[in-house]
């Protein structure tokens, strides 16, 4: 409000001095001030789009305050009191055990939102949908899941998850209301537990399933799932009927779901939007036409868990025809709030794509966002530039770091992508797939410069441009004169001549055009036929007209070229000597003695896998108990080595807060993006948010550590048994060997610099004996001792 007061004061001064306002009465001026003040208050209270990942807000929810094992104990007490058969009790106990651990894995994934604008809106719509059943409303909790998948699902415990992808695609509030009613119906009808019982019977071959073939069994399960979906549609519609929402929105929600595998909008795209009058893409980069949209209401659903859209529509159309409802409301919470929520959800999609390093879709979504929300061009420019920067790094990583076998896999994936993507995005996908690493680098620099020009005060825009130029020259060996070696003035003049031909006669125009076509053909024979990708030599002709570009571009390229020369000189060293130096550098950089005295530790992982004759057995409760023990052990051993350990501890449920959950989510976001990026020193979008955490914790070193313990039975080899019988004194030894188990204890630890993304430390330890607490303590103590000790 301080800013609002200043604006009002300024307005008073303007009004009092303006000649046009001298005739206004004092009363009229006062009315103007009141209106302006009211407008400013409205603006200050208006919701604004957040251009960084959303976080949880408010008091932490009760679902996060108990360990999974404690939730299982509480739920088992309830099940034991139920008046059902012993068989059903055992089934529910098994289901509860697995489902609680599975749900908690989602809750503590760092991808869950509560108290934010999206979840608040979902809860408002749920309030409207369940206004007639307040008891049921109190049983349910709604969370938003930061996933681009278009989905919503409910759990046996009364939790309903709605994805960001769904919120980005729904066309109105009524569609969301019906989808929520559908998921609530699944909860009311106990479909999750019933489905579990059905699949358990199928697995054991009980009842009618035992006489069926494998394919028939699979189809039976699918039919069962389809019955559940149709039943949830009907039951959900009954709830929906009690609201004032439009019944027509039920049918349109099915249409929305039919096309939900495509982006939230379908807009034609052409590479021409990335060109200028000189920089033109060759036709071989583009596909001839967009891939056909294959969405089909009546697709074969025999081997699907969901009925096709046509069946779902028919399931409700009769009810809709029988209804004479006059309810037509598409918005009850409000259209303005819906539009805001939809835009925020679409903004949030960017951050998931960035973490996934899905740069092709990231670029296309920036294009859609720009076309839908014209006022957000600054944000879109950065996302576009960041997507091309990331894509160029990805292509470079693939071309230099990946084996031939991996390249074959990538090529086969590209071929399958041709059929996978449809509509406008297929054009984008083909274009960016066909572009080589060099071409992508040049496009990255162009896009980064465009972004910088539009926002020169932003340090991120400046850094992105500098990094793009540096990497282009560093990795591709361009000379400083490469983009200047052509006669740019002549090219520019040629283009100018064409542009001024409007004043010429038809015959003069055709003569000039014919002459230039012949000249272009000669140039193509001499240069472009040798290398069709030389078109990008014209990429910066227009940019060189800007003095600032010339200075920045030339100075950064000079640094990169100088580094290339130094690396070339090192290549001339004998291979044995070079290899020895590389080994020394690796040991020095990632070796045993580093001298670190403060760390941020992400909850250490402890997984136990036991292979028996019946297959793999994983004890989730035991793993949780071991992780609690391991976290405490790290804290004790760090203290023993005088290391300041900041633990992001999500297992300390008694002291868990929303702030700590958000810190955990920030770390997970940064780490996911860092791991998915092939380049160690690449710019990370999540750096800005992580820097707040490092400032608060006064530490920038992140430690990720974990233990994997495997036990497996030894397989008896008949030859060994026969030999031991022949040489009978060895028989007891052979029997003792095969009755024992093979054990593998693997401990891996990494330390990363949160400011640079650089890998600072690696430690891998593998042993073949049973994991005991004292042994684990010794290993952790040794780990911290190595980290703490300074290099010689």
């Amino acid at each position: 409000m301080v800013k609002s007061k200043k604006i009002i004061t300024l307005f008073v001064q303007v009004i009092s001095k303006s000649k046009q306002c001298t005739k206004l009465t004092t009363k009229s001026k006062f009315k103007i001030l009141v209106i302006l003040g009211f407008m400013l208050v409205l603006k200050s209270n208006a919701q604004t789009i957040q251009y960084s990942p959303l976080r949880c807000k408010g008091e932490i929810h009760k679902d996060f305050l108990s360990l999974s094992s404690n939730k299982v104990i509480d739920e088992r007490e309830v099940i034991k009191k139920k008046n059902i058969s012993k068989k059903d009790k055992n089934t529910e106990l098994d289901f509860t055990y697995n489902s609680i651990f599975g749900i908690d894995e989602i809750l503590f994934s760092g991808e869950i939102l509560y108290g934010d604008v999206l979840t608040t809106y979902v809860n408002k719509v749920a309030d409207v949908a369940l206004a007639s059943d307040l008891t049921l409303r109190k049983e349910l909790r709604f969370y938003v899941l930061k996933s681009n998948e278009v989905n919503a699902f409910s759990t046996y415990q009364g939790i309903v998850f709605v994805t960001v992808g769904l919120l980005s695609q729904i066309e109105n509030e009524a569609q969301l209301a019906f989808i929520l009613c559908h998921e609530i119906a699944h909860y009311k009808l106990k479909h999750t537990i019933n489905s579990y019982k059905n699949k358990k019977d199928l697995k054991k071959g009980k009842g009618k399933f035992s006489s069926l073939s494998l394919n028939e069994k699979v189809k039976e399960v699918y039919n069962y799932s389809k019955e559940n979906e149709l039943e949830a549609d009907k039951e959900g519609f009954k709830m929906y009927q009690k609201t004032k929402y439009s019944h027509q929105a039920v049918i349109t929600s099915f249409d929305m779901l039919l096309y939900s595998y495509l982006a939230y909008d379908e807009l034609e795209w052409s590479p021409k939007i990335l060109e200028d009058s000189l920089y033109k893409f060759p036709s071989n980069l583009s596909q001839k036409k967009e891939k056909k949209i294959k969405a089909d209401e009546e697709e074969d659903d025999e081997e699907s868990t969901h009925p096709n859209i046509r069946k779902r529509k028919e399931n409700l159309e009769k009810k809709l025809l029988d209804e004479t409802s006059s309810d037509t409301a598409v918005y009850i919470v409000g259209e303005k709030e819906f539009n805001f929520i939809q835009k925020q959800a679409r903004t949030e999609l960017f951050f998931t794509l960035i973490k996934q390093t899905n740069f092709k879709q990231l670029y296309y979504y920036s294009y859609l966002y720009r076309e839908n929300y014209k006022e957000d061009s600054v944000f879109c420019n950065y996302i576009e530039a960041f997507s091309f920067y990331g894509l160029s790094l990805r292509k470079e990583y693939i071309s230099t770091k990946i084996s031939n076998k991996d390249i074959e896999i990538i090529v086969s994936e590209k071929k399958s992508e041709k059929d996978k993507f449809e509509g406008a995005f297929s054009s984008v996908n083909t274009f960016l797939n066909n572009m080589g690493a060099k071409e992508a680098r040049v496009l990255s620099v162009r896009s980064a410069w465009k972004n910088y020009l539009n926002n020169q005060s932003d340090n991120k825009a400046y850094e992105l441009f500098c990094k793009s130029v540096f990497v282009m020259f560093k990795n591709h060996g361009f000379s400083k004169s490469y983009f200047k070696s052509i006669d740019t003035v002549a090219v520019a003049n040629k283009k100018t001549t064409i542009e001024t031909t409007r004043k010429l006669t038809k015959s003069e125009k055709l003569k000039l055009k014919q002459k230039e076509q012949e000249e272009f053909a000669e140039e193509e024979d001499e240069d472009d036929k040798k290398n069709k990708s030389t078109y990008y030599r014209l990429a910066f002709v227009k940019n060189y007209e800007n003095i600032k570009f010339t200075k920045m571009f030339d100075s950064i390229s000079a640094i990169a070229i100088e580094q290339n020369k130094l690396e070339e000189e090192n290549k001339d060293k004998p291979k044995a000597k070079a290899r020895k130096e590389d080994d020394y550098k690796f040991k020095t950089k990632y070796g045993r003695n580093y001298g670190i005295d403060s760390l941020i530790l992400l909850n250490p992982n402890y997984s136990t896998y036991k292979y028996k004759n019946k297959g793999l057995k994983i004890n989730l409760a035991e793993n949780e108990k071991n992780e609690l023990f391991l976290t405490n052990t790290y804290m004790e051993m760090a203290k023993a080595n005088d290391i300041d350990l900041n633990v992001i501890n999500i297992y300390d449920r008694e002291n868990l807060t929303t702030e700590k959950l958000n810190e955990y989510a920030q770390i997970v976001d940064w780490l996911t993006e860092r791991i998915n990026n092939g380049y160690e020193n690449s710019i990370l979008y999540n750096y800005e948010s992580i820097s707040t955490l490092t400032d608060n914790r006064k530490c920038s070193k992140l430690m990720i550590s974990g233990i994997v313990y495997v036990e497996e039975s030894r397989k008896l080899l008949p030859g060994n048994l026969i030999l031991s019988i022949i040489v009978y004194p060895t028989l007891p030894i052979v029997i003792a060997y095969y009755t024992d188990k093979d054990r593998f204890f693997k401990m891996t630890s990494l330390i990363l610099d949160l400011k640079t993304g650089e890998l600072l430390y690696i430690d891998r330890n593998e042993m073949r004996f049973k994991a005991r607490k004292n042994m684990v303590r010794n290993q952790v103590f040794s780990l911290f001792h190595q980290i703490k000790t300074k290099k010689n």
Side-chain angles (χ1 to χ4, degrees), residues 52-55 110-113 118 144-149 163-165 168 344-359 361-362 365 379 383 386 668-669 672-673 676-677 685-686:
S52 57
L54 290 172
R55 300 296 176 206
E111 305 292 348
I112 290 296
L113 291 172
L118 298 185
V144 168
L145 178 61
K146 293 182 1 175
S147 165
N148 288 8
E149 294 294 322
T163 66
V164 169
S168 74
Q344 183 64 72
R346 290 173 177 181
T347 307
E348 192 66 29
L349 292 177
F350 289 125
F351 310 126
T352 305
L353 291 170
I354 286 167
K355 285 188 294 184
Q356 295 169 348
T357 60
N358 189 343
F359 297 114
Q361 282 197 329
L362 182 66
Y365 275 71
F379 175 65
I383 292 294
F386 189 85
V668 169
D669 284 353
T672 306
E673 186 185 359
N676 287 334
N677 268 289
Y685 189 92
N686 286 290

Side-chain angles (χ1 to χ4, degrees), residues 301-325:
D301 61 1
E302 196 162 333
E303 295 184 1
S304 171
T305 55
H306 283 61
N308 64 39
I309 295 298
R310 182 70 259 162
K311 286 178 184 175
R312 295 184 72 178
K313 280 185 177 181
E314 289 173 351
N315 186 44
L316 293 180
E317 274 176 345
K318 188 177 178 182
K319 284 183 170 290
L320 287 167
L321 290 170
D322 293 340
E323 287 290 322
T324 56
S325 172

Side-chain angles (χ1 to χ4, degrees), residues 585-611:
K585 284 178 183 177
F586 184 86
K587 287 176 182 176
T588 302
K589 190 172 184 180
Y590 306 124
R592 294 180 172 273
N593 304 320
Y594 201 81
I596 295 174
D597 54 13
S598 64
L599 285 167
I600 295 173
L601 174 68
L602 201 63
N603 270 104
N605 175 266
Y606 196 126
S607 300
T608 302
Y609 302 94
K610 295 182 179 180
Y611 293 89

Side-chain angles (χ1 to χ4, degrees), residues 223-253:
N223 286 332
Y224 184 83
S225 297
K226 283 194 276 284
E227 286 171 14
N228 283 350
E229 290 302 317
L230 294 172
E231 191 179 9
D233 281 344
K234 284 184 178 179
E235 184 64 29
F237 183 64
K238 286 180 185 177
M239 279 185 267
Y240 186 84
Q241 281 177 298
K242 295 175 184 178
T243 70
K244 297 293 182 182
Y245 285 118
S246 164
H247 289 185
Q248 185 59 33
V250 174
I251 298 302
T252 61
S253 67

Side-chain angles (χ1 to χ4, degrees), residues 251-516:
I251 298 302
T252 61
S253 67
F254 290 128
D255 292 330
M256 181 273 296
L257 291 171
L258 177 65
Y259 296 104
S260 64
Y261 68 98
L262 299 168
Y264 60 76
D265 201 355
E266 181 69 11
L267 298 175
E268 289 185 12
W269 178 88
S270 167
K272 289 182 179 180
I273 66 171
L274 301 171
E275 297 176 342
D276 61 31
S277 59
L278 301 178
Y279 177 71
K280 305 282 185 182
F281 296 108
S283 59
N284 65 314
L285 290 181
S286 303
Q287 65 182 17
K288 293 179 181 179
K289 59 181 179 179
E290 294 177 1
K291 294 294 178 184
K292 185 180 177 183
I293 305 296
K294 295 179 180 178
D296 181 10
E297 279 192 1
E298 300 179 10
E299 69 176 351
D300 184 6
D301 61 1
E302 196 162 333
E303 295 184 1
S304 171
T305 55
H306 283 61
N308 64 39
I309 295 298
R310 182 70 259 162
K311 286 178 184 175
R312 295 184 72 178
K313 280 185 177 181
E314 289 173 351
N315 186 44
L316 293 180
E317 274 176 345
K318 188 177 178 182
K319 284 183 170 290
L320 287 167
L321 290 170
D322 293 340
E323 287 290 322
T324 56
S325 172
S326 59
D327 295 332
T328 58
V330 180
Y331 301 99
I332 293 176
V333 174
E335 184 177 2
K336 191 174 181 180
E337 188 165 357
F338 170 80
N339 291 334
F340 167 77
I341 291 302
Q342 185 186 66
K343 184 180 178 182
Q344 183 64 72
R346 290 173 177 181
T347 307
E348 192 66 29
L349 292 177
F350 289 125
F351 310 126
T352 305
L353 291 170
I354 286 167
K355 285 188 294 184
Q356 295 169 348
T357 60
N358 189 343
F359 297 114
K360 287 179 283 187
Q361 282 197 329
L362 182 66
Y363 165 67
Y364 183 60
Y365 275 71
S366 74
Y367 169 70
L368 294 182
Y369 198 92
R370 189 197 308 276
E371 294 301 308
N372 279 274
Y373 310 108
K374 303 286 185 182
E375 71 275 13
D376 289 332
S377 60
V378 173
F379 175 65
C380 287
N381 284 338
Y382 184 79
I383 292 294
E384 178 187 302
F386 189 85
S387 66
F388 287 139
Y389 168 76
L391 181 69
S392 65
L393 286 176
R394 199 98 184 129
K395 285 180 176 289
E396 183 65 26
Y397 179 71
I398 288 170
S399 64
T400 59
K401 302 289 183 184
I402 296 180
S403 66
N404 290 332
K405 187 177 180 182
D406 290 329
I407 290 170
E408 287 174 11
I409 294 169
I410 290 164
V411 169
S412 66
E413 285 176 353
K414 281 186 178 181
K415 287 179 180 177
S416 66
E417 280 183 1
K418 288 181 180 179
D419 299 322
K420 182 180 177 182
F421 298 114
E422 301 169 13
F425 178 65
S426 66
S427 300
V428 177
N429 184 63
T430 301
F431 174 77
L432 295 177
N433 268 348
N434 290 341
M435 184 173 281
K438 281 187 176 182
E439 297 165 279
R441 284 283 191 218
V442 172
L443 180 58
S444 171
V445 173
R446 279 177 56 86
S447 184
W449 176 249
K450 172 189 166 187
N451 172 52
Y452 174 70
L453 274 182
N454 289 321
N455 196 10
Q456 296 186 40
S457 60
D458 186 6
N459 288 332
K460 290 198 301 181
Y462 174 77
E463 183 189 11
L464 189 60
F465 174 70
C466 293
K467 194 84 171 182
S468 298
V469 175
F470 179 83
V471 177
M472 182 179 75
F473 280 93
K474 176 74 174 60
N475 290 11
H476 291 294
F478 288 123
S479 65
K480 198 172 180 180
S481 61
Y482 182 82
F483 297 102
K484 295 180 179 178
S485 59
I486 57 171
D487 189 351
T488 55
V489 176
V491 174
N493 287 340
K494 185 187 292 184
K495 292 293 176 182
T496 305
T497 306
I498 294 171
E499 288 165 4
T500 57
T501 53
R502 292 175 186 171
K503 297 178 181 179
L504 303 176
T505 64
K506 180 182 177 181
S507 58
E508 287 172 333
K509 287 179 184 178
L510 289 171
K511 282 181 181 179
L512 181 61
K513 190 172 184 179
Q514 197 172 15
K515 183 182 178 182
E516 289 181 346

